[in-house]
Amino acid sequence: QNKMEIGSHTYNHINLKKAKETLAKEELEKTDIIYNEITGSNIKLLRPPYGAYNDKTLKNYDYAFITWNIDTNDWRYRNSKYIEEHILSQVTDGSVILMHDSYKTTVEAVRNVLPKLYALNYQVVSVSDLAAIKGYTLENHKVYSYFK
């Protein structure tokens, strides 16, 4: 098993807090259908684009909402050393770190920071594994940004 986990991020990266309900539903369903066709499984996690959600969004969609407690701002800075230093200065046991694999500088930062995190005795695991390790049961309609 590869220990990877996939969650929804909507089909076109829409702001769920601002989108009309019909569009939001369509965006999430389209992603769910494609994922199910490929894997035979259903998506259980949602990382809302921009971290944007509201009570209505939480109520209407059957996912555990995953946000973060460390934002690397990798999309803004695109500097691998900055990203690495930011992670190392902020990380604590149970942290959820926001990064985007679409930037070369982020990929480089991950390559550099992982050995340092391991040397500090951190484990790098999926969100569901982290929740389980920390004694959480991920529930639909709830938001998780870190695990104490």
Side-chain angles (χ1 to χ4, degrees):
Q1 188 177 9
N2 61 22
K3 299 291 186 177
M4 289 190 290
E5 182 168 49
I6 296 175
S8 182
H9 196 51
T10 74
Y11 192 78
N12 286 303
H13 203 264
I14 64 164
N15 184 323
L16 293 170
K17 191 173 178 179
K18 294 180 179 179
K20 291 192 184 310
E21 191 173 337
T22 54
L23 176 61
K25 185 175 182 179
E26 180 182 304
E27 285 277 318
L28 292 165
E29 284 179 353
K30 191 173 186 178
T31 304
D32 288 349
I33 289 167
I34 293 167
Y35 181 80
N36 182 268
E37 287 174 353
I38 293 168
T39 67
S41 298
N42 295 317
I43 295 176
K44 297 178 176 93
L45 308 177
L46 171 66
R47 208 289 269 159
Y50 315 102
Y53 63 89
N54 55 28
D55 289 341
K56 187 176 181 181
T57 311
L58 285 173
K59 183 182 79 158
N60 286 343
Y61 304 110
D62 294 331
Y63 303 96
F65 284 61
I66 307 301
T67 58
W68 57 89
N69 70 314
I70 298 176
D71 185 350
T72 62
N73 286 294
D74 57 346
W75 60 271
R76 176 181 295 152
Y77 297 112
R78 299 191 192 184
N79 177 310
S80 60
K81 192 69 176 161
Y82 171 84
I83 296 164
E84 177 185 341
E85 289 173 359
H86 185 72
I87 291 168
L88 291 171
S89 71
Q90 300 293 313
V91 72
T92 59
D93 185 27
S95 286
V96 177
I97 303 170
L98 176 64
M99 292 185 280
H100 302 83
D101 64 358
S102 52
Y103 304 115
K104 288 181 182 181
T105 49
T106 302
V107 174
E108 183 181 331
V110 170
R111 281 193 191 111
N112 293 334
V113 79
L114 283 177
K116 294 174 182 178
L117 291 171
Y118 295 140
L120 293 168
N121 293 315
Y122 285 104
Q123 295 179 50
V124 178
V125 298
S126 70
V127 169
S128 292
D129 286 348
L130 178 58
I133 289 165
K134 293 297 193 172
Y136 288 77
T137 300
L138 293 174
E139 298 178 41
N140 289 347
H141 315 286
K142 290 194 175 183
V143 180
Y144 303 88
S145 56
Y146 63 95
F147 299 88
K148 290 182 183 182

